[in-house]
Each structure stands twice: as structure tokens, then as C-alpha cells.
Amino acid sequence: MLTSRRPRRPRLLGPLLAALLVLPGAALATASSAAAADVLAPVVPAATQEQQILAGLNAQRAAVGVGPVQLDGGLDAVAQRWADVLGQGDGMKHNPDLARLLSGYGRWGEIVATADMGNADTHGLENGDLAVKSWMGSTPHRTVLLDRTYTAAGIGTVYTKTSSGGRTVWRSYWVVDFGSARAATPLVRANADGSQSYAGIPVRGALLDGYRAAGANVGGLGLPTGAQFGPLRGGGAGQHFQGGSLYTSPATGVHAVRGAVRDRWAATGWENGLGYPVSGEFGIRSGLAQRFQGGLVYWSGATGAQVVRGAILDAYGATGWENGFLGLPVQGDTPVRGGAFTHFQGGSVYWSAAAGTHVVRGAIRDAWAQSGWETGRLGFPAGPEHPVAGGVAQQFQGGTLTYSWSTHRTTVG
């Protein structure tokens, strides 16, 4: 016998409902992270849901004599990007980048909500103003929604599927960002000089080419957060975006730099340290790397982002890079008196002007470390590890360390 399935009424999740008036410098509300979610296509298109929510917002404002808010491209992009973050299980919280992303607005705020949408066959069929009605039932939420100084809004919506307690949960997330004291700005606008503006910020020339190649505002870089800067050393230029930076120079072309790799590059002095990027990031075993004019930055979850360069990089490459016995760097290029070193998962590479570049590893490295590394009586390594009768040995400036296979002891000679 066939039985009909009655759609379940959307249920707003009280514990996960959050709304705050957020002013620059104010504390941000946070909540525990949820499980990673699959984002589903709603039955009602996102653009339609956005219009439904906007209508609900303005209906509530009109009921108390407050003027309507208009959709704004810049606010809309910020709201949607944050809704996508929440939908991926990052927890119900406010966008920590609001002060930076919405700095062009004299005053702004954000309200967020989530609701359990019940059965899979009902997803996306929620009333467009469900979140609006819930906000109106809470004084702080209602205060933000009815604030008459807001003249513009951006709306982000996402529908997700998660697993919780052994069951599948379909859930909607809503984000509304409000702004005032700024005219509505088209998200994308072509300019007479050949540049393209994204949320009011122009991107031009080689940077525009690189930005488009990366997917422009819908790619991983997101929206620009500031104007192009330069000229930099060697005639280069750069521009920062929500998801990273683009740098270009006549010698290297245009490349994106992101995340922990960008942070490590910045710590070296940007283009004045390792030079410009000469490649995009590329995948390696357990992580990724990116090549710059002056070396490489390696990253993995286990080792973080580390710089390898110069003669040490050459010696590392001769061992097979990250696939060789040294593995990934765990402490990047570090200057010491008379030289420099880099520690790897499987040993160390030391360079000195007096003794050259050599790998030190295993029991010999341990014994050398106990003697005080390069500042001890043995000084820098002066040659590679090499086999001897019954073991291996390595020459240092101040003597030789020999490891015996039979005794498992390292002696100084």
C-alpha cells in the first residue's frame, strides 16, 4: 500500500538563531562548528528567495513607517559568500571580516539565521520571509531590521544537507547585511579605461587578466578589498582580494598568492624578500608549494608554511625534494652566524660560506646537536655523510662524527 508523505513544516532552530547589530570594532558572536555540509540546489532559485526575503524585510519596515532598503551589489556579494561559509559547517557566527569588507559604508549591520527544513522533498520551499518573521520576534533582531538609517541590503541564502546524530538534516541559512550612507554600487561594471570594477573597486591591466583567469568575483579570490598598488620593485604591481592577492611584474607575469603561503611570503618582505611569484601554487605530497624568484614556500597541515631557498634549496632538490628522505621542511630558511640552515622531517641542510652546503641526519645529526650544533666545537658540516667500515661518518670543521652499525654509538674523531 502506498502512503503519502506530508511535507514537514520548516522549524527554526532557536539555539542556532543569531542576530546582532554589528558596528566597526564591536565583538562578534560565535557558536560551535557544525559538521561539513553538502550544498544543494534549492527548488526555489536563490534569486527568487532573495526577492522573497527582501519583500519580507520591506513589508515589515513599511508596517512601521520605515523606508525600504534596496539590494546593493557589494553587500549582496559579502552576504552570499558568508552564507556559503555557514552552509559548509563553520558554525553560526557573524562574518569576522565585516569591518574590512564593509568599510565603505558609514554604518552597517548583519543578521543571520538557520532553520531545519525537514524532508528532502520540501527543500527550498520555505516562505521567503520565514527568517524575517523570526527576527521580528526578538527585540535585538527587530532593531536591526527596522533601523531607518539603513538604505541598502545584501542577502545570502544557502541550502545544505548535513548528518547529525545518525540522521540526515536539510537546513537553510540566511544572511542579511545592511548598509547606509553609500549609493548602491553594481557588483560588476565595465569602465571607459578598460578596467573592470567589482563592488566599486577597479581591477585593471595584467591583474585584471589574472583575476578573470582565476574566476573573477565568483572564483577563489572573491572580491577586491582595495585598489591596485604600485609601481613596486621592478615595475610590478599588486592587489589584495578576499581570498588572496595578485602580483605581477614584467619579469614574472601575474600570479595569485593565497593563505598560509601568502602569509609566509609576507613575513619575508613580500616582493622585496623572496621576490615575485613565478608560478601559481601547485599540489605536492600532503600539501602544496609555490615558487618565487628567490625560492619556494612549502605548506602542509603537519608542517605549516616554510621557506626553502638558495644553496639549501639546491641541495634539497638533489635529495628528491619532498619525495626524498628529507621530506617536507619543518623550520624554514634560518640565518645563523656564518651561514644558514633549514630543518626537514628527515634531517637538516646547513650552509656556510666557509664549508659549503651539506645534509645532516640521523644519529650523526643527533650527536652534532648535543655538541652545540654549528656553535659547538665541531662547527659547520664540511662534507657529506659517507660510508666507512662498519658504519657511516661525516666531516665537520672541527672533527669527524662516526656512527657504528654494531654498537649504535656515535663517536668524535
Side-chain angles (χ1 to χ4, degrees), residues 19-412:
L20 283 180
L21 175 63
V22 184
L23 296 176
L28 300 174
T30 62
S32 60
S33 294
D38 295 326
V39 177
L40 306 180
V43 172
V44 178
T48 303
Q49 292 185 56
E50 183 178 82
Q51 292 298 328
Q52 291 175 340
I53 293 172
L54 181 66
L57 290 171
N58 284 331
Q60 296 292 344
R61 292 170 68 89
V64 294
V66 176
V69 290
Q70 305 293 325
L71 280 180
D72 176 273
L75 289 169
D76 214 43
V78 173
Q80 184 57 54
R81 189 167 293 276
W82 191 242
D84 292 339
V85 170
L86 297 180
Q88 290 296 334
D90 199 39
M92 285 300 293
K93 60 186 178 182
H94 285 279
N95 191 337
D97 290 332
L98 279 177
R100 176 172 59 86
L101 297 176
L102 302 184
S103 59
Y105 295 83
R107 189 163 182 268
W108 41 262
E110 179 176 87
I111 50 179
V112 297
T114 185
D116 183 347
M117 303 312 297
N119 297 329
D121 55 2
T122 69
H123 81 268
L125 295 177
E126 68 273 14
N127 294 326
D129 61 351
L130 173 63
V132 178
K133 291 178 180 177
S134 72
W135 289 323
M136 286 298 291
S138 168
T139 299
H141 301 67
R142 185 170 60 251
T143 300
V144 177
L145 192 153
L146 300 180
D147 191 323
R148 66 178 60 251
T149 63
Y150 294 138
T151 57
I155 300 169
T157 65
V158 69
Y159 187 79
T160 67
K161 178 180 71 174
T162 64
S163 295
S164 177
R167 70 187 184 97
T168 300
V169 177
W170 287 267
R171 185 168 295 161
S172 278
Y173 294 84
W174 299 277
V175 175
V176 182
D177 286 324
F178 294 94
S180 61
R182 174 172 137 167
T185 303
L187 181 60
V188 183
R189 183 184 66 230
N191 302 316
D193 63 359
S195 67
Q196 194 99 0
S197 288
Y198 297 83
I201 301 175
V203 186
R204 56 175 50 91
L207 294 178
L208 178 59
D209 294 339
Y211 186 47
R212 285 170 168 163
N217 56 295
V218 297
L221 287 172
L223 291 167
T225 58
Q228 176 176 318
F229 46 88
L232 305 176
R233 182 181 64 84
Q239 191 161 7
H240 296 315
F241 298 81
Q242 291 171 316
S245 301
L246 283 172
Y247 274 76
T248 186
S249 79
T252 60
V254 58
H255 301 285
V257 192
R258 320 166 192 258
V261 171
R262 192 191 83 148
D263 295 342
R264 179 61 64 182
W265 179 50
T268 73
W270 302 96
E271 73 283 353
N272 295 311
L274 272 182
Y276 288 98
V278 297
S279 77
E281 62 184 35
F282 53 90
I284 59 170
R285 179 176 61 86
S286 303
L288 55 86
Q290 186 162 6
R291 187 175 292 276
F292 296 82
Q293 289 175 305
L296 282 111
V297 178
Y298 281 84
W299 174 88
S300 78
T303 60
Q306 310 294 342
V307 174
V308 190
R309 58 179 162 184
I312 291 177
L313 178 63
D314 295 339
Y316 178 49
T319 71
W321 308 101
E322 72 280 356
N323 296 311
F325 62 81
L326 284 174
L328 289 166
V330 297
Q331 182 177 341
D333 185 73
T334 304
V336 295
R337 184 176 181 180
F341 71 86
T342 298
H343 290 321
F344 297 85
Q345 292 170 313
S348 301
V349 180
Y350 271 75
W351 169 86
S352 72
T357 308
H358 304 286
V359 175
V360 191
R361 58 174 175 159
I364 289 179
R365 179 181 179 272
D366 295 340
W368 181 48
Q370 290 175 7
S371 75
W373 301 97
E374 78 284 350
T375 61
R377 67 185 180 92
L378 289 171
F380 283 97
E385 178 183 289
H386 58 278
V388 295
V392 293
Q394 187 163 6
Q395 182 70 38
F396 293 80
Q397 288 174 310
T400 301
L401 287 174
T402 302
Y403 174 77
S404 169
W405 298 122
S406 61
T407 65
H408 304 293
R409 296 181 58 190
T410 305
T411 57
V412 180

